[in-house]
Amino acid sequence: MATLTSQNKKETKAKVKAVPKVGKDKHYVNSDELKNAITEFYKTDDCSVFLCEALNKIAQGLSFSPSFINYSYKEEMIGDAIVKMFSALKRKKYDINSETSPFSYFTTIAFHAFINRIKKEKKHHDAVTAYRDQKYEELLTSGEINVYVKPVIDGDSDCGYNDDSE
């Protein structure tokens, strides 16, 4: 069994540190460049490719946040966020003269769009589940199919079951 000497350990650590993180800047948006692009958009009403890509990167990057990564409707969340961010941009909601970073402003818009999509999907899921449960119970207790007997809940006496075993 070979042991690592202190020189080998240092070389191993150096190799590990030298490996660049892949994709770290894949969703990076420079706030100053974004502010300049927004200023130009406000003057001309022409949306540059950089500005469109920046809004897309903000939404895509936020979707990899631990809070949102495992949702099956992640694409819908991203789409909603892009629409909301562009809507705010079109209505000139961001104040160029403010000290607020445009990146944080549009990230907040995307965050709220994600939360709203989650609420909509939950409401839809709850409605489908309630409807399914209602229809299943109707089908199983209707008499057409005699495979299910509704359980007795807290002394429901009209079930026909007599618990007196005396």
Side-chain angles (χ1 to χ4, degrees):
M1 203 180 258
T3 60
L4 290 177
T5 64
S6 62
Q7 181 64 27
N8 288 344
K9 287 180 185 178
K10 288 179 184 176
E11 289 174 4
T12 304
K13 286 182 182 179
K15 288 179 185 177
V16 171
K17 289 181 182 179
V19 176
K21 290 189 176 183
V22 178
K24 183 177 181 183
D25 57 88
K26 183 178 180 181
H27 302 291
Y28 177 75
V29 177
N30 185 332
S31 192
D32 293 333
E33 292 175 5
L34 180 59
K35 193 170 195 171
N36 293 337
I38 292 170
T39 304
E40 187 64 31
F41 175 76
Y42 283 178
K43 291 178 184 175
T44 63
D45 280 341
D46 290 332
C47 192
S48 67
V49 173
F50 171 78
L51 188 55
C52 295
E53 287 177 354
L55 296 181
N56 188 33
K57 284 181 179 181
I58 289 171
Q60 292 282 344
L62 186 60
S63 73
F64 287 103
S65 166
S67 301
F68 304 118
I69 196 158
N70 289 325
Y71 286 100
S72 60
Y73 40 86
K74 193 161 79 165
E75 291 299 319
E76 288 86 350
M77 292 172 18
I78 293 169
D80 288 350
I82 292 171
V83 168
K84 292 289 186 182
M85 287 188 291
F86 190 73
S87 175
L89 188 65
K90 192 73 173 162
R91 293 182 184 145
K92 299 181 180 181
K93 295 284 186 175
Y94 176 71
D95 182 16
I96 294 294
N97 299 322
S98 72
E99 293 182 16
T100 306
S101 165
F103 177 80
S104 68
Y105 180 81
F106 286 102
T107 301
T108 302
I109 291 173
F111 179 84
H112 290 292
F114 280 23
I115 297 297
N116 288 337
R117 171 54 64 178
I118 291 168
K119 288 178 183 177
K120 286 179 187 175
E121 292 292 335
K122 183 179 181 335
K123 187 184 287 186
H124 180 263
H125 175 73
D126 291 345
V128 168
T129 302
Y131 178 76
R132 183 187 62 222
D133 291 346
Q134 176 188 4
K135 288 299 175 183
Y136 283 176
E137 185 174 331
E138 285 176 10
L139 178 65
L140 293 174
T141 60
S142 67
E144 295 173 14
I145 302 173
N146 292 325
V147 295
Y148 177 76
V149 176
K150 187 175 179 181
V152 177
I153 301 173
D154 293 330
D156 190 8
S157 61
D158 59 331
C159 67
Y161 177 73
N162 188 359
D163 194 23
D164 297 332
S165 58
E166 292 177 28

